[in-house]
Amino acid sequence: ALFAPAVARVARNGIDLDHYKPLDIPRSKRFLFLARFSSVKSPDICQDVCIATGSELDLVGDTTITGEPEYLERCKRKADGKHIRIIGGIPRGETVWWYSQARGFLHLTKNFREPFGLAPVEAQCCGLGVLCWDYGALRETVLHGETGFLVSSVKQAEETVRSGAMDSIDRKRCIEWASQFSLQRMILRYQELCQEAIEGGGW
């Protein structure tokens, strides 16, 4: 017997818009990677793209929880401490400063289908354009050509960086777009789904 297709219901994650908003500081010429140092987050690809294009990059994120010491060492070997810098873990409260001063946000998670991806949305809330892999939820959270660019190859990522396209991103448009992913909207959506399940006797 054939089964009827399931109807999916979605409650997207929410961001604290009172916290994630841009600081009034100048932008640098440095790109930013901000995530844990895990092979699924692909900081090595971000390094390769910046090395190939002669761009500067700061890599911010926890280096202790991933259990991939060999991968971390490989990333360290690509960092010269000047053009490519590994900052390591920072308190959550400091991320807004990093988002606010960066040239662009690199989230090239080639090997991981993001179920949502908090950092790219946080970055956009701070007015920072995102260069990300055309995979998973990033197709929904980053507006291609307006708040960032979705790429499907390292070559494409390099071409995007080399062209200066990231500098054309409208900071205000990033904030406007990302504001839909608010905590308030997430809470209301969960309430709607719970009410639907209660009134309908489940799904």
Side-chain angles (χ1 to χ4, degrees), residues 62-120:
D62 189 276
T63 60
T64 63
I65 63 174
T66 57
E68 295 180 282
E70 293 180 1
Y71 179 77
L72 175 60
E73 287 304 313
R74 194 158 74 246
C75 289
K76 285 181 176 179
R77 287 195 292 271
K78 294 182 180 182
D80 61 5
K82 182 180 179 181
H83 297 94
I84 309 294
R85 303 188 304 185
I86 294 180
I87 307 301
I90 61 169
R92 175 59 59 178
E94 294 181 13
T95 58
V96 172
W97 184 88
W98 287 98
Y99 291 137
S100 296
Q101 60 78 48
R103 178 183 177 185
F105 189 69
L106 305 186
H107 197 76
L108 300 171
T109 51
K110 176 183 178 182
N111 301 315
F112 181 53
R113 182 178 295 181
E114 285 280 9
F116 181 75
L118 291 170

Side-chain angles (χ1 to χ4, degrees), residues 10-52:
V10 177
R12 292 181 174 85
N13 288 339
I15 301 297
D16 184 353
L17 300 183
D18 291 327
H19 178 73
Y20 291 102
K21 52 188 177 182
L23 302 176
D24 187 19
I25 57 177
R27 295 280 176 183
S28 72
K29 296 180 179 179
R30 305 182 68 86
F31 286 99
L32 175 67
F33 164 89
L34 195 154
R36 64 185 183 275
F37 270 78
S38 167
S39 56
V40 299
K41 295 294 185 179
S42 303
D44 62 316
I45 295 179
C46 299
Q47 288 178 305
D48 291 342
V49 167
C50 286
I51 291 170

Side-chain angles (χ1 to χ4, degrees), residues 122-137:
E122 294 167 357
Q124 291 171 91
C125 284
C126 294
L128 185 60
V130 178
L131 176 62
C132 59
W133 211 264
D134 187 11
Y135 198 37

